[in-house]
Amino acid sequence: MKFTKMQGCGNDYVYVDCTKEMIENASHVAIKVSDRHFGIGSDGLILIASSEVADFQMIMYNADGSRGEMCGNGIRCVGKFVYDKGLTNKKVVTVETLAGIKTLELNVVDGKVKSVRVDMGSPEFVAANVPVIFDNEKMLGETIEVAGEEYVVDCISMGNPHCVIRMEEDVRELDLEKIGPNFENYKAFPNKINTEFVNILDENRVRMRVWERGSGETLACGTGACATAVSCIINGITKSPVDVELLGGFLTIEYNEEDNIVYMTGPAEIVYEGEIDV
C-alpha cells in the first residue's frame, strides 16, 4: 500500500489515495499503520476517495480502528494532497465526510498548498444531537462530576462530539493520561467524546490540550479548536477570530453567531511518503 504521511499542527495521519481502488479491512489497517513502534506512527488513517456529491470523500479512522466523523486538521491535509498531487486544479474544493460536505479554500504558494481555510459548518448545541445524555435541551455551563472531581462543561458538536472545559489551572500541568479516559468513557457520552482543556490567554487567544476518543492525547484537534472557540465566544469570554494555541501549533477560528458558521484556518504539510505491506 502506497501512503503519504501528513500533519497539520502535529495532528498526523496516514493518507491513501483510494480514488481508483479502496483498501480492504481499513479498520485493521488503521490500527497497524498508527502504531508508533511497529507501524508508520499516526493518529489514524485517512482514505481519499471519489464522491458522488462532492469533489472528494474523506474516510477517517482513529488509531484504534474506529470510524471518525470528521477531523479538522485531517481535512486540511486532504486539500493539500489532492491539489499537490494533481487530483484537482481547483483552489476551492468540496469534501464529503460523515459530518457533511465541507468546503476548503486552498492557499497556494509556488504551486503548493501552504494553508487551508475550511468552512466547518454550524456548531450543534442540542444535547441529543451532540450526543449527550442530559435532561435539558443543551449541556452548556453545566457541572458534572467525573472521577470524583467537578467540572463546568460546554458540550458542542462540530461533526464530532466535544466537551470543552475552561480552567484556571495551567492546562500544561494536567495529567491527561489519567484524566482523559475518564471523560472519554463518561456515562453521559454514548458515543464517547473528545475533551478540550482550555486556558484563556486574552480576548483573541486561548491555550488548549485535547484528549481525543480513540486516539488519546494528540498535538492538535481541528474540530476541538472550533468547539473551544465557539464555547468561549458564546460565553462572551473571547471575540472572533480566536487563535487557538495547541501543542503542535496555532489554528485561527472565526465564528459569527449571526450566520452561525465556523471557519478554521491552519497549515498542512507532507512529512514523507512510502509503501508498506498491509
Side-chain angles (χ1 to χ4, degrees):
M1 180 186 79
K2 292 182 179 179
F3 71 87
T4 301
K5 180 168 175 174
M6 306 183 73
Q7 62 89 10
C9 291
N11 198 189
D12 60 339
Y13 287 87
V14 172
Y15 291 77
V16 179
D17 181 356
C18 292
T19 56
K20 300 178 181 64
E21 184 178 359
M22 293 294 291
I23 64 172
E24 297 180 3
N25 198 5
S27 177
H28 170 76
V29 172
I31 295 170
K32 179 176 180 178
V33 301
S34 298
D35 191 295
R36 297 190 184 274
H37 298 286
F38 298 100
I40 298 166
S42 68
D43 293 322
L45 172 70
I46 292 180
L47 309 179
I48 299 172
S50 301
S51 171
E52 295 183 358
V53 294
D55 294 318
F56 298 95
Q57 180 182 8
M58 180 179 90
I59 304 170
M60 174 196 168
Y61 291 85
N62 297 310
D64 66 354
S66 60
R67 280 292 300 271
E69 293 93 337
M70 237 293 284
C71 173
N73 292 308
I75 201 169
R76 291 200 314 278
C77 291
V78 169
K80 180 175 177 64
F81 186 104
V82 298
Y83 187 90
D84 286 10
K85 291 187 174 296
L87 299 182
T88 184
N89 59 6
K90 296 181 178 180
K91 293 183 180 179
V92 176
V93 178
T94 57
V95 180
E96 176 189 358
T97 76
L98 287 182
I101 297 173
K102 306 301 179 186
T103 301
L104 284 57
E105 298 176 28
L106 310 181
N107 174 33
V108 178
V109 178
D110 295 329
K112 301 290 184 182
V113 173
K114 184 70 174 177
S115 63
V116 180
R117 183 175 186 258
V118 185
D119 178 344
M120 298 291 285
S122 300
E124 175 62 72
F125 302 107
V126 175
N129 297 334
V130 172
V132 178
I133 299 171
F134 189 58
D135 291 337
N136 296 334
E137 182 185 12
K138 301 175 182 179
M139 186 181 272
L140 298 174
E142 299 290 343
T143 300
I144 62 174
E145 183 176 317
V146 179
E149 297 286 338
E150 288 191 343
Y151 300 88
V152 178
V153 305
D154 286 342
C155 291
I156 300 167
S157 174
M158 284 301 310
N160 296 329
H162 292 278
C163 176
V164 179
I165 306 165
R166 293 181 298 278
M167 310 188 77
E168 295 295 329
E169 179 182 356
D170 191 333
V171 297
R172 293 172 295 187
E173 304 299 323
L174 294 177
D175 184 357
L176 238 58
E177 290 290 333
K178 178 181 178 181
I179 301 171
N182 295 328
F183 280 90
E184 180 178 358
N185 299 292
Y186 184 65
K187 60 185 178 181
F189 307 136
N191 292 350
K192 299 190 176 183
I193 205 145
N194 306 288
T195 309
E196 287 74 38
F197 302 87
V198 182
N199 292 144
I200 308 300
L201 302 179
D202 59 45
E203 67 176 12
N204 292 109
R205 189 162 170 259
V206 303
R207 177 182 296 125
M208 183 190 105
R209 285 178 69 189
V210 58
W211 183 269
E212 293 197 55
R213 57 177 181 168
S215 292
E217 182 173 19
T218 59
L219 295 181
C221 175
T223 56
C226 292
T228 291
V230 168
S231 169
C232 294
I233 291 168
I234 65 173
N235 283 286
I237 299 167
T238 61
K239 299 178 181 179
S240 180
V242 178
D243 287 331
V244 182
E245 176 188 319
L246 306 151
L247 292 179
F250 286 86
L251 293 173
T252 298
I253 311 300
E254 305 162 67
Y255 176 59
N256 184 317
E257 292 184 69
E258 292 184 4
D259 62 24
N260 199 34
I261 300 294
V262 181
Y263 296 92
M264 173 193 63
T265 301
E269 297 182 4
I270 293 176
V271 181
Y272 63 87
E273 297 182 299
E275 194 166 343
I276 187 173
D277 292 332
V278 296

